[in-house]
Amino acid sequence: MTYQPIIGVEVHIELATNSKMFCGCPADYFGKEPNTNTCPVCLGLPGALPVPNKKAVEWTILLGLALNCQINKDSKFDRKNYFYPDLPKGYQISQYDQPLCYEGRVMVGDKEIRITRVHLEEDTGKLQHTEIGGEKVSLVDFNRSGVPLVEVVTEPDFRTIEEVDLFLKKLQRIVRYLGISSADMEKGSMRLEPSISITNQLTTDYRLQPLPKYRVELKNINSFRFARKALEYETKRQTELLEKGETPTQQTRGWSEDKSATVPQREKEEANDYRYFAEPDIPPMSFTDDQISQIRSHLPELPEAKSLRLQAEYNLTPNNADILNEDRLTADYFEEAVRVSRQIPEVENPDLVKEIANWIINKKVDIQNTVPGELIKQLLQTKSTSQVNRSELEEIIDKVLRENPQAVADYKNGRKAAIGLLIGAVLKIIKANPQTITEIIQSKLEVQ
Ligand code: ZN
Ligand code: MN
């Protein structure tokens, strides 16, 4: 019998706003002393009132638009009730039946992945399980409590782990492009929760495939690699159960890197266990068409469109366009460098664009500290060196070696650093590529 995984994902992304979701505390809690980044609102003290962060709402809509979602003109916050020590109020302010964004779609290769919803909520505190004086304790740090958190939920449209991987990477790149989050999984600002079940009821249209009666949710996976491993493990585990005629239990599991296995965490609550109801302390939100187009006008050119344009406009290979476009800064830097190079009248070189691209890719240019103009200067200098008459350069080097016998002797006696003095002496006479000079000097001193 043929079995097939059916996978959907939920992704939580912390927004990089200045302040938290419902109070004025800084949203950036990373590395801070526990419980120093809090106030009565994010500690859930009685009487404290939440005030929504406008930027977080706009950024959530921006992400929704980037994922081709519909925007709810009438939206609201709801209370999601559950008891857990990292949640001081006993409920999380989230969104239930009127999320900011719904019914989006993202292409993964040729396949459309449907986005169920994109909603906004608050992050919880963080538990630390440790030992004090030989006693096992759980400590709570509320620094993260109330940080704006966007949740992206897909339909169960994935049929291979490869599709999931491509989607997650694409989502991360879009989020970074929008500049709304670092989406850094090591720091927990992007967290993955795939759900997986296995079926043997195959259909031609994945959208019409009947869903199994159970699903296993994988919680708080903090790297793409762990997501892949956990999904591979679950595919195997669940298929084996089905082959024995058993049905896997509906539950939540986590990935244990030590055991190289998923481990059960808890049986899954049903949605109505959360007793959702409208948050009475925050008025509902409504958006006009104008407000939504205003937000849409902040949408930058998105990664895939940009890769295609880079290929077309600069005649780059798909692979090079993609490497340059790994992040928005590098892609912008490349385009700026090309623009600068075109302003230099004496540069008449049809290959220059390709060379700029190769230079940025292969030399790993430090784009934070090298302005594009400087890059072009370096590139042209190197090129002119290669055109300097090689024999002329060798003559100069021979002369320098004759005039600096001590440095030559030092080098030959193993003080390799002495080569620096020789290179310096050559550069005083001729502007040439230090790398080329080094190679020539080395070859001469090796044979002498
Ligand atoms: Zn606060
Ligand atoms: Mn959530």
Side-chain angles (χ1 to χ4, degrees):
M1 206 171 284
T2 310
Y3 290 96
Q4 186 175 56
I6 294 192
I7 306 168
V9 300
E10 280 181 27
V11 183
H12 283 92
I13 298 157
E14 283 180 342
L15 294 179
T17 47
N18 290 326
S19 54
K20 288 187 179 179
M21 189 58 228
F22 298 113
C23 62
C25 294
D28 183 10
Y29 60 89
F30 195 77
K32 286 189 182 164
E33 192 74 11
N35 296 307
T36 56
N37 192 45
T38 58
C39 74
V41 173
C42 54
L43 285 175
L45 299 185
L49 286 174
V51 178
N53 183 328
K54 187 175 175 220
K55 183 115 255 169
V57 172
E58 289 171 354
W59 280 1
T60 304
I61 294 176
L62 189 68
L63 177 59
L65 291 170
L67 303 177
N68 304 299
C69 287
Q70 307 290 320
I71 306 304
N72 238 328
K73 287 203 179 144
D74 295 297
S75 187
K76 66 178 168 73
F77 287 102
D78 298 279
R79 289 189 181 180
K80 179 180 182 180
N81 298 278
Y82 65 93
F83 287 102
Y84 204 63
D86 62 5
L87 197 65
K89 299 191 292 290
Y91 59 85
Q92 179 191 31
I93 304 179
S94 180
Q95 297 196 277
Y96 186 48
D97 52 348
Q98 288 167 249
L100 283 165
C101 325
Y102 63 100
E103 283 180 13
R105 70 206 127 72
V106 168
M107 295 304 289
V108 169
D110 293 333
K111 180 167 174 179
E112 180 184 280
I113 301 298
R114 292 167 298 167
I115 305 291
T116 316
R117 56 192 281 144
V118 178
H119 76 243
L120 183 54
E121 56 189 34
E122 55 178 341
D123 210 344
T124 62
K126 225 176 183 171
L127 291 183
Q128 197 194 329
H129 306 287
T130 178
E131 219 170 87
I132 295 180
E135 208 183 324
K136 282 193 172 167
V137 292
S138 292
L139 304 174
V140 197
D141 176 8
F142 287 111
N143 283 352
R144 193 179 72 176
S145 173
V147 168
L149 196 62
V150 167
E151 183 176 323
V152 177
V153 183
T154 76
E155 291 293 307
D157 283 350
F158 303 96
R159 293 295 174 270
T160 66
I161 296 167
E162 182 64 20
E163 286 172 1
V164 178
D165 193 55
L166 288 171
F167 170 81
L168 292 174
K169 286 175 179 161
K170 182 167 178 174
L171 178 64
Q172 184 189 46
R173 191 152 75 143
I174 290 174
V175 166
R176 288 179 171 169
Y177 247 69
L178 299 179
I180 61 176
S181 171
S182 64
D184 184 338
M185 283 187 285
E186 268 172 39
K187 289 185 178 172
S189 58
M190 179 167 171
R191 310 195 283 267
L192 316 174
E193 286 164 23
S195 287
I196 173 168
S197 47
I198 305 285
T199 188
N200 57 13
Q201 289 185 274
L202 309 184
T203 49
T204 41
D205 186 348
Y206 63 95
R207 299 178 196 86
L208 303 176
Q209 194 160 15
L211 298 177
K213 292 200 169 53
Y214 77 96
R215 65 187 181 129
V216 171
E217 211 173 302
L218 299 166
K219 280 276 181 202
N220 290 323
I221 310 275
N222 60 4
S223 79
F224 293 135
R225 198 165 60 87
F226 290 169
R228 272 200 310 272
K229 283 178 160 184
L231 287 169
E232 278 161 14
Y233 184 87
E234 275 303 303
T235 305
K236 194 159 169 282
R237 185 185 72 86
Q238 293 178 27
T239 306
E240 281 168 7
L241 285 173
L242 290 165
E243 279 171 342
K244 280 192 281 182
E246 296 172 30
T247 307
T249 324
Q250 165 121 345
Q251 61 182 180
T252 298
R253 298 173 77 93
W255 173 250
S256 160
E257 181 64 1
D258 292 342
K259 296 185 181 140
S260 267
T262 63
V263 288
Q265 286 186 336
R266 60 185 152 103
E267 306 292 299
K268 175 82 185 115
E269 300 106 296
E270 288 300 318
N272 57 15
D273 282 352
Y274 292 128
R275 297 177 294 118
Y276 278 102
F277 62 87
E279 166 61 57
D281 290 336
I282 303 173
M285 299 170 276
S286 63
F287 304 95
T288 63
D289 286 334
D290 273 359
Q291 284 171 316
I292 295 170
S293 4
Q294 181 58 32
I295 296 171
R296 192 188 291 277
S297 71
H298 293 296
L299 263 189
E301 182 183 30
L302 291 173
E304 263 177 9
K306 186 168 228 151
S307 282
L308 290 175
R309 185 175 59 76
L310 289 179
Q311 288 173 46
E313 206 169 315
Y314 303 101
N315 203 14
L316 298 174
T317 62
N319 192 31
N320 277 0
D322 240 22
I323 297 174
L324 284 174
N325 195 23
E326 186 57 41
D327 61 89
R328 192 172 158 188
L329 275 183
T330 309
D332 289 350
Y333 184 89
F334 164 74
E335 293 207 270
E336 178 62 12
V338 171
R339 204 181 57 77
V340 169
S341 78
R342 284 176 179 161
Q343 284 170 347
I344 307 171
E346 63 268 30
V347 178
E348 267 183 51
N349 181 348
D351 288 337
L352 194 60
V353 170
K354 205 189 284 169
E355 282 164 20
I356 293 171
N358 287 339
W359 190 275
I360 295 175
I361 292 168
N362 299 326
K363 304 251 169 177
K364 308 239 180 299
V365 175
D366 176 7
I367 63 170
Q368 309 281 4
N369 295 308
T370 317
V371 295
E374 179 59 29
L375 175 90
I376 302 300
K377 224 171 88 191
Q378 288 173 11
L379 204 157
L380 293 176
Q381 228 165 50
T382 311
K383 283 184 63 64
S384 67
T385 310
S386 58
Q387 284 151 13
V388 166
N389 193 324
R390 172 100 180 182
S391 62
E392 185 192 354
L393 184 57
E394 291 208 18
E395 258 171 51
I396 291 166
I397 289 174
D398 285 337
K399 179 165 171 284
V400 165
L401 294 182
R402 277 198 306 277
E403 287 170 357
N404 294 278
Q406 189 57 53
V408 171
D410 285 348
Y411 181 87
K412 288 185 169 174
N413 290 327
R415 272 199 58 234
K416 300 289 179 198
I419 200 170
L421 188 141
L422 298 168
I423 296 167
V426 174
L427 284 171
K428 270 186 200 151
I429 303 168
I430 186 170
K431 266 244 163 297
N433 181 3
Q435 185 60 39
T436 315
I437 301 174
T438 310
E439 281 161 16
I440 297 176
I441 294 179
Q442 277 169 344
S443 70
K444 284 183 187 291
L445 293 184
E446 302 301 303
V447 295
Q448 267 178 17

